[in-house]
Amino acid sequence: MNNSKQGPLVHIVKRGALPRWRAWGIRLIAIVAALIVCAIVTMTVTGEDPIAVYATMIDGAFGSERKVWNLAQSTAMLLGVSLAVTPAFRMRFWNIGGEGQVLAGCLAAAACMICLADKLPNGLLIAVTAVASIAAGAIWAGIPAFFKAKWNTNETLFTLMMNYVATQLVAFFVIVWEVPKGAGKIGIINQTSQIGWLPTIGGNKYLLNIIVILVLTVGLYIYLNYSKHGYELTVVGESERTARYVGIKVDRVIIRTMLLSGAICGVVGFLLVSGTDHTVTTTIAGGRGFTAVMISWLAKFNPVFMILASLLLAFLEKGAGAISTSFGLNHSFADILTGIILFFIIGCEFFISYKLSFRKTAKKEAE
């Protein structure tokens, strides 16, 4: 038989559902392979002992009680934004605006703490701040949702541009509220009175944040998997035509889901300003809105698996900073190691969903 008529030697075939243990086995192999490649790169480029580098990464994340709490806080905030974008992603609405929605929540929290500090008692101020942050995040997400529902605008570009608008709004108000004038930053808000600050639990300022995010995780899992609204947004994501055929109001689902996404981002903004940082800057979101996209995708839009994905990303961030400091390496090298690990982890998902099928040889076909 002429080879030109036999088709390609290798083609990609979609797998059926793999047993969970095999899928996680592939992921484990990918992590081991990534560590081996990182070790080779480390020895080749820097001459450092890769085992010492890995030990430093672990120490940088888990080396003391303070480091563990910092890791838990970073994980919680990443997880919070990942939870926020997940309902929209399940609906196939590509919300890339998590960063701007968090900033909107942060700005609303800071405004309440600055403008209402001497007008409301502390408990009421905290409640007002929380409501304002949630509303600000929801509105910031609701604007592109409204345009998508009414005029089918491109949600990816719209939500992305809203990030830049939010950043410039924060930059403007930082100058308005800067202390002292000309400093270019606000500083700690209500540092002396601590009005508007969330209370600590057991003397730890991170614990309340972590508890709130864990509650949100459980709540969103139930919402997505066991509620009517969760079912509707999943149907819309699979096929808008089918959703309309069975009587689901698609426009309403789009707006409602994005309001939820923005509201959760608003909660994260509130926790950042009132709970831990007590200030607002253009970088307070720390790129979490973009990292959350990867976390949500890695976890297959499952809020429970997002805990593990968020922990991994937070660990890599803390570990990268530790090796940069301990070995005097450029932070870019630490980012290279992080990138290699993520490349393998993300790449292994291909082998979980697909397999390579090789064309049979002419001899085998004859047999």
Side-chain angles (χ1 to χ4, degrees), residues 156-178:
T156 304
L157 292 177
F158 206 136
T159 53
L160 184 63
M161 294 307 297
M162 292 291 283
N163 291 335
Y164 296 104
V165 177
T167 301
Q168 295 309 312
L169 273 176
V170 172
F172 172 80
F173 281 102
V174 165
I175 301 302
V176 172
W177 296 326
E178 62 184 353

Side-chain angles (χ1 to χ4, degrees), residues 39 60 80 85 96 104 116 143 168 223 228 262 264 269-270 306 313 322 328 352 367:
V85 300
I96 314 298
L116 302 177
I143 294 171
Q168 295 309 312
Y223 176 85
K228 177 185 175 183
I264 297 175
F270 167 67
M306 283 178 209
L313 268 292
I352 292 173
E367 293 175 355

Side-chain angles (χ1 to χ4, degrees), residues 69-358:
W69 279 112
N70 281 331
L71 176 65
Q73 160 70 4
S74 296
T75 301
M77 295 300 99
L78 265 178
L79 176 59
V81 186
S82 303
L83 294 173
V85 300
T86 295
F89 285 173
R90 274 210 180 184
M91 189 179 59
R92 299 297 186 266
F93 185 106
W94 305 116
N95 178 16
I96 314 298
E99 193 87 356
Q101 291 149 30
V102 171
L103 282 174
C106 289
L107 183 60
C112 290
M113 291 171 66
I114 292 171
C115 301
L116 302 177
D118 56 350
K119 296 178 175 64
L120 297 174
N122 189 45
L124 182 57
L125 176 59
I126 291 174
V128 170
T129 301
V131 171
S133 297
I134 293 170
I139 291 170
W140 213 252
I143 294 171
F146 176 80
F147 278 82
K148 173 69 175 181
K150 297 301 180 183
W151 296 290
N152 197 32
T153 55
N154 186 302
E155 70 274 12
T156 304
L157 292 177
F158 206 136
T159 53
L160 184 63
M161 294 307 297
M162 292 291 283
N163 291 335
Y164 296 104
V165 177
T167 301
Q168 295 309 312
L169 273 176
V170 172
F172 172 80
F173 281 102
V174 165
I175 301 302
V176 172
W177 296 326
E178 62 184 353
V179 177
K181 287 298 180 182
K185 59 183 180 180
I186 295 175
I188 303 300
I189 302 171
N190 303 334
Q191 184 170 13
T192 303
S193 64
Q194 297 189 2
I195 292 177
W197 292 23
L198 287 177
T200 59
I201 299 177
N204 191 299
K205 68 177 183 177
Y206 297 143
L207 185 54
L208 182 58
N209 284 12
I210 295 167
I211 292 173
V212 170
I213 295 300
L214 287 177
V215 170
L216 281 176
T217 303
V218 174
L220 188 67
Y221 180 84
I222 294 172
Y223 176 85
L224 291 176
N225 294 288
Y226 299 103
S227 73
K228 177 185 175 183
H229 288 179
Y231 170 76
E232 288 179 345
L233 69 87
T234 300
V235 173
V236 171
E238 291 175 351
S239 170
E240 283 194 22
R241 181 176 296 178
T242 300
R244 294 183 193 278
Y245 179 78
V246 298
I248 295 174
K249 298 184 183 300
V250 174
D251 294 353
R252 183 180 298 176
V253 172
I254 290 173
I255 294 173
R256 180 181 67 212
T257 303
M258 278 298 288
L259 288 175
L260 174 63
S261 288
I264 297 175
C265 282
V267 172
V268 175
F270 167 67
L271 294 176
L272 285 172
V273 174
S274 293
T276 54
D277 293 14
H278 309 306
T279 189
V280 63
T281 66
T282 56
T283 58
I284 191 171
R288 294 182 181 96
F290 301 106
T291 308
V293 174
M294 181 166 54
I295 291 173
S296 182
W297 184 84
L298 274 175
K300 303 294 186 184
F301 312 137
N302 186 317
V304 176
F305 291 153
M306 283 178 209
I307 299 174
L308 298 176
S310 299
L311 178 60
L312 173 64
L313 268 292
F315 165 74
L316 291 176
E317 178 189 359
K318 299 296 182 184
I323 63 176
S324 295
T325 302
S326 298
F327 292 93
L329 299 174
N330 188 301
H331 199 283
S332 296
F333 179 75
D335 291 338
I336 290 172
L337 297 185
T338 300
I340 291 172
I341 294 172
L342 290 177
F343 174 81
F344 275 83
I345 292 173
I346 295 173
C348 78
E349 297 297 322
F350 169 85
F351 296 98
I352 292 173
S353 301
Y354 300 92
K355 63 181 179 180
L356 300 179
S357 178
F358 293 87

